Amino acid sequence: MTAIDFSTMVQGVAQSLRPAAMNLTRDADDAKDLVQETLLKALNNPDKFKTGTNLKAWLYTIMRNTFINNYNKITKRSSNIDSAEYLQYLNADENYITQNKGSATFVMNDINQAISKLNEEHRTPFMMYYVGYKYLEIAEKLQIPIGTVKNRIHIARKELKQMLKVYQQEA
């Protein structure tokens, strides 16, 4: 079958596709688009049509599959949450966020209590490091070796971690 013969046959059946397209889309413009897309796919792929089979059924199958594919694309696109609406909260100023300062107060009280329970030889280097002193500066101020400073800070951290393990987040 030549391309002209195939094209003539497809155009002859094209009118019968419109009611089915309208039934699928429920919109006149969408139905016209669906028929046009169906005819375009059919005319671009004449080699996929088997001569002697039902041309009308083949075109209906193309139209139905096209409709389903388009529908799936649309529903997939619209089912994604529009994250732009929620992104404003990530970059919001502190003015827009209401926080309960009570829980922070409890946490800070627990931290301060835990620090006060540390042995003095561990607490002093730890607090100096916490406020911004470097290891070498702490060693010079306390007149102890830098290795001892590092060890005492490490022990203080370890003890604090143990005392405050109720605040550790589970992985």
Side-chain angles (χ1 to χ4, degrees):
M1 174 182 332
T2 66
I4 295 172
D5 292 339
F6 181 75
S7 178
T8 306
M9 285 175 47
V10 168
Q11 287 176 355
V13 179
Q15 291 299 327
S16 65
L17 295 175
R18 293 185 201 280
M22 186 65 184
N23 212 10
L24 288 170
T25 62
R26 310 261 189 251
D27 182 71
D29 291 332
D30 289 342
K32 287 178 185 176
D33 290 343
L34 182 58
V35 169
Q36 185 176 12
E37 194 172 347
T38 301
L39 295 176
L40 183 65
K41 286 181 179 181
L43 293 173
N44 284 337
N45 298 293
D47 54 310
K48 293 184 180 176
F49 176 70
K50 294 179 185 159
T51 307
T53 59
N54 188 344
L55 178 64
K56 195 174 191 180
W58 185 67
L59 291 172
Y60 275 115
T61 303
I62 293 171
M63 184 171 64
R64 188 192 48 171
N65 290 342
T66 302
F67 173 77
I68 291 170
N69 289 341
N70 290 341
Y71 178 80
N72 287 339
K73 283 179 192 174
I74 290 167
T75 55
K76 186 177 181 182
R77 233 182 278 141
S78 65
S79 68
N80 291 339
I81 296 173
D82 184 14
S83 59
E85 180 182 333
Y86 300 101
L87 288 177
Q88 65 181 346
Y89 296 113
L90 293 176
N91 298 323
D93 288 348
E94 297 287 325
N95 302 337
Y96 297 112
I97 301 171
T98 305
Q99 294 181 346
N100 183 348
K101 304 241 190 257
S103 61
T105 303
F106 281 120
V107 173
M108 283 310 298
N109 286 342
D110 288 350
I111 292 171
N112 289 331
Q113 224 174 19
I115 290 172
S116 69
K117 289 180 184 175
L118 288 174
N119 187 344
E120 179 66 32
E121 70 179 9
H122 298 128
R123 181 175 55 241
T124 303
F126 175 80
M127 289 307 296
M128 289 176 76
Y129 182 76
Y130 175 76
V131 296
Y133 285 95
K134 305 281 184 236
Y135 288 131
L136 190 59
E137 295 171 326
I138 298 169
E140 289 172 358
K141 285 241 187 223
L142 298 178
Q143 298 178 349
I144 55 176
I146 194 167
T148 304
V149 170
K150 290 179 181 181
N151 186 40
R152 288 180 182 176
I153 292 172
H154 172 74
I155 291 170
R157 284 182 178 156
K158 197 171 162 183
E159 288 178 10
L160 287 172
K161 185 176 178 181
Q162 183 62 34
M163 286 188 268
L164 299 169
K165 74 178 174 182
V166 289
Y167 295 107
Q168 284 182 338
Q169 294 183 2
E170 295 180 26

